[in-house]
Amino acid sequence: MIPFYSSEKQAEHVTAIRSLTGEIMYLVEGEERAVLIDTCLGVGHLRSFTETLTPKPLTVILTHGHVDHAMGAPEFAEVYMNPADESLYDQMSPLEIRNGYIAANLGGVMPDFQMSDYVLPQKLSYRELTDGMCFDLGGLHLEVYSLPGHTKGTMIVLIREERILISGDACNTATFLFAKEALPVETYRRNLAAAEQKLQGRYDRVFLCHHLPEVPAVLFENVIQVCD
């Protein structure tokens, strides 16, 4: 079977982890600790793969509770999530939802998974992720900010010293606002403008969680124009 995960360096302290279905997670390493941003679909043994990349103590930050971002979280001991997405996480965790997503993204062909390849559905034990939280990794700091729209609990992550903003699905080249858990365009636009103002001048690069890992730093400005 083709490996479900692969990795590539995106910056000095940042490694992109790609899944077979197209999601991109980010492993950020400081001198003392590491953070994994998002955990994909809960298949393919993500924790084991991540342990081949770093020996450092690992914290997980979930950008939101969707099926393609959060289902691998129970593999890890220390997980942070915005409680506003807890019910969404619960709704997304059944295996049939995950398998439907995988098949849809692989042209209807499922990999030859065994039950042991899955993180089985379970209630997630997590710590509360709140607007403005800062994670000190040792010489490197991650600041986390709320940007509701795609979901009510969607978060973005600023890698302060690298001047990198991981906007994930909160703001990308095809931000989804059509699902029932999304906010109205007008509300999203206000939240987006507030986040842009808060982070103005603090980043030079923007990383996404699907398809292209990096897009121009004018992304927020462009998406605000799309909202208008």
Side-chain angles (χ1 to χ4, degrees):
M1 187 174 71
I2 299 172
F4 200 77
Y5 301 107
S6 61
S7 65
E8 59 183 338
K9 274 287 189 184
Q10 289 297 126
E12 183 179 358
H13 300 285
V14 184
T15 300
I17 299 175
R18 291 178 175 270
S19 73
L20 192 62
T21 45
E23 292 74 40
I24 306 172
M25 294 145 281
Y26 294 97
L27 178 66
V28 186
E29 293 185 81
E31 295 171 1
E32 300 171 2
R33 300 188 60 84
V35 160
L36 176 65
I37 299 172
D38 284 345
T39 60
C40 203
L41 288 147
V43 293
H45 307 285
L46 177 62
R47 189 185 71 180
S48 295
F49 182 82
T50 304
E51 288 172 349
T52 68
L53 302 176
T54 181
K56 294 169 183 169
L58 187 67
T59 296
V60 166
I61 294 174
L62 298 178
T63 61
H64 61 296
H66 271 154
V67 63
D68 51 335
H69 291 262
M71 296 304 110
E75 278 197 289
F76 299 89
E78 185 175 304
V79 178
Y80 286 82
M81 179 176 70
N82 187 329
D85 272 10
E86 181 176 357
S87 62
L88 179 61
Y89 171 90
D90 293 339
Q91 294 166 27
M92 295 275 170
S93 63
L95 294 185
E96 55 267 31
I97 294 177
R98 292 191 241 169
N99 286 338
Y101 178 96
I102 294 167
N105 281 271
L106 296 179
V109 179
M110 282 290 294
D112 186 22
F113 289 136
Q114 307 299 314
M115 282 304 295
S116 59
D117 294 321
Y118 289 91
V119 178
L120 295 180
Q122 58 193 276
K123 195 71 177 175
L124 179 62
S125 176
Y126 70 93
R127 302 181 185 185
E128 183 175 0
L129 188 63
T130 59
D131 183 70
M133 284 187 74
C134 182
F135 294 81
D136 184 352
L137 307 187
L140 200 67
H141 297 82
L142 271 59
E143 300 175 16
V144 183
Y145 297 100
S146 176
L147 181 43
H150 181 58
T151 71
K152 294 178 178 64
T154 300
M155 311 295 279
I156 56 178
V157 182
L158 176 71
I159 308 174
R160 185 195 298 170
E161 290 82 2
E162 294 270 17
R163 295 182 60 84
I164 293 170
L165 180 65
I166 298 177
S167 67
D169 287 2
C171 181
N172 60 26
T173 55
T175 304
F176 287 2
L177 296 179
F178 53 75
K180 63 182 179 180
E181 63 267 16
L183 301 180
V185 173
E186 295 85 354
T187 305
Y188 172 60
R189 196 253 188 231
R190 289 195 297 272
N191 294 339
L192 191 59
E196 182 193 36
Q197 184 175 20
K198 183 183 296 184
L199 295 170
Q200 190 172 23
R202 302 192 63 200
Y203 64 90
D204 304 312
R205 305 176 70 185
V206 175
F207 290 177
L208 307 183
C209 290
H210 292 278
H211 309 302
L212 295 172
E214 185 170 3
V215 293
V218 294
L219 176 68
F220 276 41
E221 177 184 338
N222 290 347
V223 175
I224 288 171
Q225 292 174 3
V226 172
C227 289
D228 291 339

